[in-house]
Amino acid sequence: MKQYMADISLPGLFTQGFVSLIPSQRATVNRLLQEGTIRCYSLSMDRSNLWVVLLAESRDDAEELLATFPIMDHCTYVLKELMFHDMAAHELPRISLN
């Protein structure tokens, strides 16, 4: 699997139609995060951009995945293949038997 970074530009004005898509967008993203297809999903503080790191066999597959996002008809994006994407590992807290 290859890793891709999608830099998604959100619309300048969030219409009611766009806002109504956010719950289904979150559900789609949450499912893909649980499946491991999306590695990370970030929103800029000014809500102008989303950054998504995803796994796909090819650029075409990555674009097909992005097309499943409910908000994509309102957005533009730039897709780049990554050499690597490092993340800090999450650890469970240590348990004390005392």
Side-chain angles (χ1 to χ4, degrees), residues 6 13 16 20 28 30 41 45 50 52 58 86 88-90:
L13 177 63
Q16 185 58 37
S20 70
T28 298
N30 289 345
Y41 185 78
M45 182 62 86
L50 286 170
V52 183
S58 68
D86 289 336
H90 295 288

Side-chain angles (χ1 to χ4, degrees), residues 9-98:
S9 297
L10 299 173
L13 177 63
F14 284 22
T15 64
Q16 185 58 37
F18 180 79
V19 171
S20 70
L21 297 172
I22 293 173
S24 57
Q25 173 72 12
R26 262 324 311 185
T28 298
V29 168
N30 289 345
R31 178 180 52 80
L32 293 169
L33 281 165
Q34 287 177 345
E35 292 173 2
T37 304
I38 290 179
R39 302 292 307 270
C40 70
Y41 185 78
S42 302
L43 174 65
S44 64
M45 182 62 86
D46 65 3
R47 297 183 179 134
S48 64
N49 287 82
L50 286 170
W51 296 285
V52 183
V53 175
L54 55 102
L55 299 175
E57 291 291 335
S58 68
R59 181 181 184 85
D60 288 342
D61 289 344
E63 289 182 338
E64 285 178 23
L65 180 72
L66 291 174
T68 69
F69 287 8
I71 63 169
M72 288 311 286
D73 286 343
H74 302 271
C75 303
T76 59
Y77 67 89
V78 175
L79 186 64
K80 301 277 187 173
E81 185 175 354
L82 299 176
M83 178 66 70
F84 61 87
H85 175 71
D86 289 336
M87 295 180 359
H90 295 288
E91 289 186 22
L92 296 174
R94 295 177 190 219
I95 298 172
S96 173
L97 300 176
N98 295 339

